[in-house]
Amino acid sequence: MHPNARLLEAFYQAQAAFYAGGDDTATLRGLLADDVAWHVPGRSRIAGHYHGHQEVLGYFAARRAHAKATFRVLPRAILADDQRAVQLADGQMERDGQLRTWQTVGVFRIAGGKIAECWLVPFDQYLFDELWS
């Protein structure tokens, strides 16, 4: 397995613990470059461009709060080389008493063994916006 695929696996494990209600942001922070950038498309309350640890971890916290700690990312496949990694994943959360699901692609730029940038690409932008609004 490519080292950048292992990096994404470690990231998704730490993120899963955080989204489930854990408070260990140190592990997440350690996997992110100091100048990390995160890009979330659309018009929902979480859409935007986030830069640096404080904003990116704040974005993760906003997702957790909005989903009331029911949000889960279910990784499906990782493709990685020395500079990029692509993650296919399903998302799920409870909303209005129902389990809602969607699919995304995360495109990651890796630098110095850390996640330097991520572009989130939902398969269905309208559904994604609806669920996160």
Side-chain angles (χ1 to χ4, degrees):
M1 179 180 286
H2 194 280
N4 288 338
R6 283 195 293 276
L7 171 66
L8 281 192
E9 283 187 346
F11 169 74
Y12 277 104
Q13 288 174 357
Q15 192 182 54
F18 178 78
Y19 284 146
D23 60 0
D24 177 16
T25 58
T27 300
L28 280 169
R29 184 183 303 268
L31 299 169
L32 304 173
D34 290 340
D35 60 348
V36 64
W38 219 267
H39 310 283
V40 182
R43 297 174 186 251
S44 72
R45 69 172 63 174
I46 64 165
H49 302 282
Y50 304 92
H51 299 91
H53 286 162
Q54 184 174 353
E55 287 185 13
V56 170
L57 292 172
Y59 157 70
F60 296 160
R63 288 177 90 173
R64 179 174 72 180
H66 178 74
K68 299 178 178 77
T70 67
F71 174 48
R72 303 288 180 268
V73 176
L74 308 170
R76 295 293 180 201
I78 299 173
L79 173 66
D81 66 16
D82 292 340
Q83 298 174 353
R84 303 251 188 244
V86 176
Q87 170 73 62
L88 300 174
D90 296 345
Q92 69 179 34
M93 75 169 141
E94 288 182 33
R95 180 142 186 222
D96 300 325
Q98 293 184 321
L99 184 63
R100 303 293 305 266
T101 62
W102 64 94
Q103 294 78 42
T104 61
V105 173
V107 179
F108 296 84
R109 182 173 59 84
I110 311 297
K114 295 189 177 196
I115 297 170
E117 197 161 11
C118 175
W119 294 266
L120 185 62
V121 184
F123 285 17
D124 183 338
Q125 186 67 58
Y126 295 117
L127 173 64
F128 189 82
D129 283 346
E130 173 192 333
L131 293 173
W132 290 105
S133 292

